[in-house]
Every structure is written in structure tokens, then in C-alpha cells.
Amino acid sequence: MLSPELETKALLGRGVTDIYGRLLGRVIGIERNPFGEMEGVQVEATGGIILTAKARQMALTPKTITISPEWKLESEDIISELTLLRKRVGALESLKDSREIDGEIYSELLESQKAGYMDKVKSASALVGSMRSRLSEITGQIASLTKYLVNAKLDHRSGELDEASLKLAQGSIEPSLRPLIAERNDLTASIKIVEQVLPAKVSIN
């Protein structure tokens, strides 16, 4: 583990990209807890906007810092936790069926497992809602950029736009379009996986 001084020197001014290849900005500050441990970084983005990334979102490479979106990490946590809780409930039922557990202890443990499971189901449902909201936002942006690109190609085919102008339009639009498509695909796949571990009808008897 680096000392706070070395950590600060290593991080401040470093470029920050997200896992889809978008350049987010550069590190201008480090957040620490009362024990001096890094909790996150402040990133100055285009237009002077300040973004915050938690330490667990960060992956360091020799040249840059790569950030994973919080929804991705949360979805991975939820999938793991719900899967484990369902296995524990199944294991508890198995102990009951084989009469390896007292009825009173079984009921107590089941109530505890049920409460934990229901809390995670609620968290997962809320997360899916926020992920769908982000997916809708990205889908709209992709549609707009795709339309601009198609219009540029139409203008070129009809002779209203020369080759150099078409390449300029493509060079401006496509670098923004690619990471949006990558994030959309990632979101779509992640939502599907989270929904697969969510019960169609919540009931633990």
C-alpha cells in the first residue's frame, strides 16, 4: 500500500477514462477517511464539471485511471448477494428436511434469512429501475448521433457534402457513438442478469 504522500503524487493530474473508452478528465483531488485511507478521487471533467469516483470504481494502469460505473459494481454485488441468500435458504430447508435442525431454530433462522433476502430484492429492484433510466438516456443519445451520421451520409450521396466534410462529420460523431453503444450493450446484459436472479413472485415459506 502506498503512503498518502506517494499515492497523491501518483494520482494527481492523471488522466481518467471510463471502461468504455471515454476520456472523463483528470484527477484534481483525493478523498480520504479519518485514517488517511483513500475513499475516492475528484475528477475535473470538460467544462469545469467535478465528478467523484469511489476507490472501488478505480483501476490503475501505467498511463491512466480507468473508472467502472457505479451501477455495474452494484449489479455485480446484488447478483452475488441474492444468489448466495437463495442458496442459504435452500440449505436451511435441506437441514429441516433431514431433521438436522430444531424447529424453533429453523423458524428463527428462516425469518432472519427472509428479512435479508427481501431487503436485497428491494435494492435490486431499485437498481434495475435506475439502470433502465440510464439505458433510456443512452438509447436516446445513440438515436440522435446515429441520425446525424445518416444525415451526413445522405448529404454526401446527394452531393451536398464533399468527402472531406463527411470524414469530419464521421470523425466527430463515431468516437462518441462507440462508447455509448458499448455501455448500452453492457447495461442491457447486466439488467437481464439481475432480473434473472430476482424472483418473479417473492415468497419464502
Side-chain angles (χ1 to χ4, degrees):
M1 181 182 291
L2 294 175
S3 69
E5 182 181 357
L6 290 175
E7 197 171 57
T8 297
K9 288 180 179 179
L11 294 177
L12 285 181
R14 289 276 294 275
V16 180
T17 61
D18 69 10
I19 58 174
Y20 308 110
R22 286 177 291 226
L23 179 63
L24 301 180
R26 64 187 181 93
V27 176
I28 60 169
I30 298 173
E31 294 183 348
R32 299 188 183 278
N33 64 22
F35 303 102
E37 298 166 333
M38 184 178 68
E39 291 192 327
V41 295
Q42 298 285 325
V43 179
E44 182 182 38
T46 305
I49 297 171
I50 306 300
L51 308 174
T52 300
K54 297 177 183 176
R56 78 182 198 126
Q57 294 176 256
M58 300 164 51
L60 302 181
T61 63
K63 293 185 179 180
T64 188
I65 298 168
T66 305
I67 302 294
S68 294
E70 185 65 15
W71 65 258
K72 186 173 181 65
L73 300 178
E74 287 180 5
S75 67
E76 290 170 355
D77 288 346
I78 284 288
I79 290 164
S80 175
E81 290 163 357
L82 273 176
T83 301
L84 178 60
L85 280 166
R86 290 175 78 169
K87 285 180 180 178
R88 288 182 65 84
V89 169
L92 191 58
E93 291 286 353
S94 176
L95 286 174
K96 177 196 173 190
D97 293 341
S98 61
R99 298 184 179 180
E100 295 179 62
I101 188 170
D102 178 79
E104 189 174 332
I105 295 175
Y106 164 77
S107 297
E108 184 180 323
L109 288 175
L110 182 62
E111 282 303 312
S112 174
Q113 294 293 328
K114 181 194 283 189
Y117 184 72
M118 292 302 295
D119 284 345
K120 290 300 175 185
V121 166
K122 289 176 183 176
S123 297
S125 298
L127 177 61
V128 168
S130 65
M131 289 168 71
R132 286 196 176 281
S133 177
R134 174 64 179 160
L135 180 60
S136 177
E137 178 187 348
I138 290 174
T139 301
Q141 292 172 356
I142 290 172
S144 294
L145 288 175
T146 301
K147 184 170 71 174
Y148 299 150
L149 190 57
V150 170
N151 284 336
K153 290 178 179 179
L154 283 172
D155 289 344
H156 177 254
R157 286 288 179 92
S158 65
E160 299 171 72
L161 205 65
D162 61 25
E163 188 70 27
S165 297
L166 174 62
K167 287 182 178 178
L168 180 63
Q170 289 175 321
S172 299
I173 296 169
E174 287 175 352
S176 297
L177 193 55
R178 281 192 295 270
L180 283 170
I181 292 171
E183 186 176 1
R184 179 199 62 189
N185 295 344
D186 200 8
L187 265 167
T188 302
S190 296
I191 289 170
K192 184 177 180 181
I193 295 170
V194 174
E195 288 182 332
Q196 284 174 348
V197 298
L198 277 171
K201 182 179 179 182
V202 177
S203 67
I204 304 178
N205 299 321

